[in-house]
Amino acid sequence: MTLLTFFGCALTAYGPPLAIFFLTVAKDAQLVILMVSSAFFWLISILIASSIWFVSKSKDPITVLYSVLLQELFRWFFFKLLSRAEKGLILASANPTSPFNRSTFAFVSGLGFGFMNGLVTYINPLVSSVGSGVIMCKSCPTLTSFFIGAITTCLSILLHITWMVLAFEGFIYPKRKYYYIIWVVLSHLGASYSTLFNQSEIKFGCVIGILINIAMLGVSIIASVMALKKVNK
Amino acid sequence: MSNNPLSISQDTNNNDIETSTNRTTINGDSSYRESDTNTINEESQTATLGNINISTLELSDIVIRACSNCGEPAQYLCIACGQSGPRYCSSKCQSEDWTKGHSITCSKVTRASQLSNGEGGDERINAVRTSNNKVYGRGNIAQFINKRKTYVQRGNPTSPSSATGPSFTNEIPLPTNQFDLFDEDQVDEFKYYMQQVYKIIKPVVLCILLSVLWVKISILAPNLQPQQPTQQIIDSSENAPESTQIFNNFLKAAFIIGNIIVVTILIVILFKYGFIKILIGFFMVVVLSLLGFMGYLLLMTILQVFQIPMDYATLSFALWNFAAVGLISVFWKGPLLLQQTYLTIMSSLMAFSLTNLPSLTTWILLALLAIWDLIAVLCPFGPLRILVESSRNEEREIPALLYSVNAVWLMASPGLSNQFTSSSFNSLRQSLSSASSFQATSGEEIPLSENIRYNRGEGGEGEVDENLSQIPRRQSSSLSRQQPQSQLANDDSIDDEEVERSGLKLGLGDFVFYSVLVAQAGKRYYF
């Protein structure tokens, strides 16, 4: 049973993003390199957040607040970096004349952010799902927290992709679209806070949290598709 | 020249342009001006200069696509349109296609119509062409291009005088001048090295995963924990206060590092004074013992954990074959994939042995290693630096070269690599690091600076066998593992024939370094 749990959870969490990776990113060296570097940026942001936590031992809600803000800050840094290198990157890309190059970079960087996020937050529970004993989810006592975590991880990786696409659309100078940026920050906060339901006393809290995440994902996907349509014009 | 079919077709091109855009009529003017001093033949040649962007065959694009004109496999493309433009199998087809309609759609023409001053554009084209002096071609077309290049260079002295400053400034605001900022060759090299970097990532990741796997398996084994002997060493200090314990660990790490430094210097001296055979022999012993002995330890652990019954005869027979094949493929020859597999496995074995040290020692060791690498590579008298330079100057391969070169030399695309000289390599490296300085992530940052870095492989090469007697046996066994990385290798100065084989190179020391880092973390936290 434990080994089955392990593989089930691993594939639930990382299966869809891995499929995305192998189908779209893995063929292109440039995109893979971009992805790794964006993952590195996310790692720095979480390093800072964790050192703040280590010093202050803050409570969950506050921790979520500053770590999300730090992640958004590093998203901005990464955008700045990419926009500096953009000319060269576009020239070296597979299709230099495509209007979607910037969005492609955004997509890939989002995947990098998401992957690193998924690895850092979920690898420990995943490994312990092999071992003897399980941890049940507090708000949904019939489910293991491993499985809930797997679903949340998968959703958050996908969310990171759409956030990055939207944020890049919003950041673009000269006409910044602040509503995109605001949506990204707010939904990131919302998605993170909704995972706090898992350990709350509320009945079916985990279901609520996952539903909120799915709703965010739906809205973000629609918004980014609309944004990409505009790019094409 | 006039019997060259190309020049004829070029002439028709020129006529075409004269009727289609005003810019090219100016070209005609400039060519007439030059023809005052030159022969008639020259005139037709210089007239083609204006078309260079349009009619040029870009050799560096080796992606095979269908020719836009005849449908044959095509290697060349319109330089003005770049990757998105049509492909051609020959300049003849390009000329034909030009008259058929590409003259209207070509981005060069659309761009040219925006030029207020034609000569400025001309000048710009010349600039692009002359900087493009790394084009080596094949067959007729290549010869043609080479000839033309010389004409461009000859024509230059006159054109700067005719093209005055203001005209040059006019073109700067053009939207398309990104083509000027990045030389086409540079872009190709950029792509090429991105491929190389990508190919290095895979074995590094694999090596890291393998060593994490070894570490986890060895943790599962209750009885045969390789750590135990070394822990006895700690026992004496266990009762001591924490500070002395740290100091002891530090001493141990420093001792290992000291070995590494000594052996590195020894290798440099041996290499510099030409005792290559001694070096090779030394490396062979190291590789054999690493594969054999460490493989034995690991195999015993695995057998025990999974409770597989096996007799010693079978075991030793299998191990001997494993080690011997590894030795042959690494030092002599073998299928590339096999070589790479062995190098990866060796690195992971090496990392596995290092993680058997007490964890505090390992952490200190990692930090010291990083510092030592910096010193050895960056200081003017750093041994690794000397090693690389002397191998370059004397055009002699570092014996371990094969080793490390292969580690990274994962099927470089042969066609492209012909064009890379070490100078282009350097320029690329600069552009790479400037364009994407953020690459300093996990493994791939290294290849960028590999000129120097691969050598740093010796991170591990330390431990000499003689030293082993001084340390408790088990620990010494782990120490001896470190040497393989010594195989740094490098030498990008490789002669032209060799260039094909040279991709990016990465010392195994880097493999080991990252693997130890991750495995050590995995050992502690993920269980």
Side-chain angles (χ1 to χ4, degrees):
Chain A
M1 184 62 198
T2 51
L3 210 58
L4 292 186
T5 314
F6 173 82
F7 281 111
C9 286
L11 290 180
T12 310
Y14 302 120
L18 275 182
I20 292 178
F21 173 77
F22 283 116
L23 288 179
T24 63
V25 181
K27 293 171 209 152
D28 193 327
Q30 184 188 28
L31 298 185
V32 173
I33 293 171
L34 266 184
M35 195 186 98
V36 176
S37 25
S38 77
F40 178 66
F41 264 67
W42 189 88
L43 211 55
I44 297 177
S45 80
I46 216 64
L47 175 72
I48 296 175
S50 60
S51 15
I52 295 177
W53 179 87
F54 191 77
V55 173
S56 66
K57 305 277 184 212
S58 54
K59 289 216 161 44
D60 280 357
I62 304 168
T63 317
V64 168
L65 180 67
Y66 61 70
S67 68
V68 166
L69 291 183
L70 272 173
Q71 287 174 48
E72 294 304 327
L73 190 67
F74 272 83
R75 198 196 297 285
W76 162 248
F77 287 161
F78 192 66
F79 171 79
K80 293 299 276 181
L81 190 67
L82 270 199
S83 50
R84 291 220 162 174
E86 196 172 26
K87 256 185 192 167
L89 286 175
I90 288 182
L91 267 186
S93 67
N95 203 351
T97 53
S98 157
F100 289 114
N101 266 326
R102 186 185 277 122
S103 313
T104 311
F105 298 155
F107 180 90
V108 173
S109 326
L111 194 61
F113 260 52
F115 258 125
M116 205 29 111
N117 175 29
L119 279 181
V120 169
T121 55
Y122 189 59
I123 199 80
N124 271 327
L126 183 64
V127 169
S128 50
S129 73
V130 183
S132 46
V134 292
I135 309 169
M136 301 314 279
C137 185
K138 206 169 175 186
S139 53
C140 311
T142 50
L143 286 173
T144 66
S145 68
F146 302 135
F147 186 59
I148 303 289
I151 296 176
T152 318
T153 307
C154 176
L155 285 177
S156 73
I157 296 176
L158 298 180
L159 270 172
H160 264 292
I161 298 176
T162 60
W163 285 332
M164 194 63 103
V165 173
L166 284 179
F168 271 40
E169 283 303 312
F171 286 149
I172 290 173
Y173 203 73
K175 22 176 189 177
R176 279 206 180 121
K177 297 175 189 123
Y178 288 98
Y179 48 93
Y180 281 142
I181 304 176
I182 292 171
W183 163 255
V184 167
V185 176
L186 284 187
S187 61
H188 196 169
L189 279 174
S192 306
Y193 277 120
S194 69
T195 59
L196 292 180
F197 281 124
N198 290 349
Q199 293 303 313
S200 67
E201 303 289 341
I202 305 167
K203 213 177 176 196
F204 297 119
C206 61
V207 180
I208 299 174
I210 289 173
L211 281 183
I212 292 178
N213 270 350
I214 291 179
M216 301 267 189
L217 183 62
V219 175
S220 301
I221 288 179
I222 292 172
S224 41
V225 168
M226 307 275 273
L228 290 186
K229 273 188 180 165
K230 268 188 220 158
V231 170
N232 198 19
K233 271 175 196 166
Chain B
M1 282 312 299
S2 57
N3 52 6
N4 185 336
L6 283 176
S7 64
I8 297 167
S9 54
Q10 295 280 351
D11 283 342
T12 61
N13 283 352
N14 206 27
N15 293 337
D16 242 46
I17 297 170
E18 279 180 20
T19 57
S20 61
T21 70
N22 50 0
R23 176 192 165 275
T24 40
T25 53
I26 297 175
N27 270 343
D29 283 346
S30 69
S31 64
Y32 283 127
R33 200 176 308 150
E34 288 180 8
S35 68
D36 290 341
T37 55
N38 295 334
T39 66
I40 301 291
N41 276 344
E42 287 260 9
E43 179 200 335
S44 68
Q45 279 303 320
T46 48
T48 61
L49 284 185
N51 301 338
I52 282 174
N53 261 7
I54 311 153
S55 61
T56 297
L57 321 148
E58 187 46 58
L59 291 179
S60 46
D61 182 65
I62 54 161
V63 178
I64 306 283
R65 311 238 179 123
C67 173
S68 299
N69 191 39
C70 63
E72 303 257 309
Q75 289 191 322
Y76 308 118
L77 46 73
C78 171
I79 197 172
C81 302
Q83 292 281 342
S84 59
R87 316 275 158 155
Y88 300 106
C89 61
S90 67
S91 60
K92 203 175 161 209
C93 271
Q94 185 175 22
S95 305
E96 281 173 18
D97 191 47
W98 176 261
T99 53
K100 273 186 201 165
H102 187 55
S103 59
I104 300 156
T105 56
C106 181
S107 60
K108 176 65 202 167
V109 175
T110 44
R111 209 193 321 166
S113 62
Q114 298 166 5
L115 276 177
S116 56
N117 187 328
E119 286 184 19
D122 224 5
E123 166 76 353
R124 194 163 55 112
I125 295 160
N126 287 347
V128 171
R129 245 312 123 184
T130 47
S131 64
N132 218 0
N133 47 10
K134 286 185 295 265
V135 180
Y136 297 111
R138 304 147 201 161
N140 291 336
I141 301 157
Q143 289 162 6
F144 176 70
I145 286 180
N146 285 337
K147 276 179 198 159
R148 191 171 48 190
K149 222 167 46 190
T150 62
Y151 274 107
V152 172
Q153 278 151 1
R154 251 210 273 165
N156 259 348
T158 60
S159 54
S161 59
S162 60
T164 52
S167 69
F168 204 64
T169 52
N170 274 346
E171 42 169 306
I172 289 174
L174 276 183
T176 43
N177 61 5
Q178 47 175 325
F179 282 96
D180 297 339
L181 296 180
F182 294 90
D183 190 323
E184 297 263 327
D185 274 354
Q186 238 176 338
V187 171
D188 280 324
E189 286 164 28
F190 188 74
K191 284 184 191 172
Y192 170 77
Y193 279 100
M194 270 187 328
Q195 289 291 342
Q196 297 284 306
V197 167
Y198 183 30
K199 281 170 182 161
I200 293 176
I201 295 179
K202 291 178 193 167
V204 170
V205 168
L206 195 68
C207 178
I208 291 175
L209 288 183
L210 269 183
S211 31
V212 170
L213 185 69
W214 302 152
V215 166
K216 305 230 149 158
I217 288 179
S218 76
I219 285 176
L220 287 180
N223 300 329
L224 188 81
Q225 274 208 356
Q227 280 140 298
Q228 278 169 356
T230 52
Q231 258 154 15
Q232 287 167 358
I233 313 171
I234 316 179
D235 282 344
S236 56
S237 60
E238 221 152 61
N239 301 329
E242 202 181 331
S243 59
T244 34
Q245 210 172 326
I246 290 178
F247 181 71
N248 284 343
N249 282 314
F250 188 82
L251 268 191
K252 258 178 265 171
F255 180 70
I256 298 175
I257 282 286
N259 284 338
I260 292 173
I261 293 175
V262 169
V263 175
T264 309
I265 294 175
L266 203 71
I267 289 175
V268 173
I269 292 174
L270 282 180
F271 182 77
K272 206 156 180 182
Y273 294 97
F275 300 111
I276 302 295
K277 281 186 182 163
I278 300 179
L279 272 185
I280 293 181
F282 174 65
F283 288 144
M284 284 176 107
V285 171
V286 167
V287 169
L288 196 63
S289 68
L290 176 70
L291 284 177
F293 190 68
M294 223 40 224
Y296 167 74
L297 279 188
L298 184 67
L299 209 57
M300 288 300 280
T301 316
I302 293 176
L303 291 185
Q304 211 169 31
V305 167
F306 296 104
Q307 302 179 343
I308 306 168
M310 186 180 279
D311 59 313
Y312 271 102
T314 316
L315 184 71
S316 53
F317 181 73
L319 260 182
W320 168 249
N321 278 293
F322 174 72
V325 171
L327 200 67
I328 290 172
S329 68
V330 167
F331 283 98
W332 189 39
K333 60 178 159 189
L336 183 56
L337 193 64
L338 190 68
Q339 280 178 346
Q340 289 162 351
T341 314
Y342 264 105
L343 293 175
T344 313
I345 289 179
M346 280 169 50
S347 311
S348 71
L349 281 179
M350 180 69 212
F352 170 63
S353 71
L354 274 183
T355 49
N356 284 339
L357 296 170
S359 63
L360 192 57
T361 313
T362 314
W363 288 119
I364 297 175
L365 183 65
L366 283 177
L368 288 180
L369 261 186
I371 298 172
W372 161 243
D373 279 350
L374 282 183
I375 296 174
V377 171
L378 295 184
C379 283
F381 293 105
L384 297 186
R385 197 188 178 116
I386 294 176
L387 192 65
V388 177
E389 277 169 6
S390 62
S391 90
R392 191 180 304 159
N393 294 340
E394 300 165 29
E395 302 214 341
R396 193 164 21 150
E397 290 187 352
I398 302 172
L401 178 66
L402 279 174
Y403 199 91
S404 195
V405 162
N406 298 338
V408 177
W409 148 65
L410 312 170
M411 348 155 209
S413 47
L416 255 189
S417 50
N418 281 332
Q419 303 184 359
F420 297 114
T421 60
S422 57
S423 66
S424 68
F425 174 86
N426 286 335
S427 66
L428 180 268
R429 201 144 47 90
Q430 282 157 9
S431 69
L432 246 193
S433 53
S434 60
S436 51
S437 53
F438 48 83
Q439 292 196 344
T441 61
S442 58
E444 70 274 54
E445 170 235 357
I446 294 127
L448 299 186
S449 49
E450 90 269 55
N451 248 343
I452 328 175
R453 287 284 218 84
Y454 20 53
N455 308 311
R456 135 235 238 271
E458 21 313 312
E461 85 208 324
E463 331 346 301
V464 212
D465 291 338
E466 306 90 83
N467 293 328
L468 301 187
S469 55
Q470 307 167 1
I471 0 180
R473 188 182 139 271
R474 202 47 81 79
Q475 191 180 8
S476 67
S477 71
S478 67
L479 291 185
S480 65
R481 304 306 75 89
Q482 298 193 337
Q483 307 163 336
Q485 312 110 281
S486 39
Q487 353 288 7
L488 357 166
N490 101 319
D491 132 295
D492 45 322
S493 60
I494 323 161
D495 9 354
D496 286 335
E497 309 92 77
E498 286 252 352
V499 173
E500 288 167 30
R501 298 206 116 195
S502 81
L504 288 186
K505 299 155 209 155
L506 187 63
L508 289 195
D510 292 309
F511 282 67
V512 175
F513 187 84
Y514 294 113
S515 304
V516 171
L517 205 62
V518 177
Q520 189 67 28
K523 180 179 168 186
R524 174 100 183 258
Y525 298 106
Y526 293 153
F527 270 92

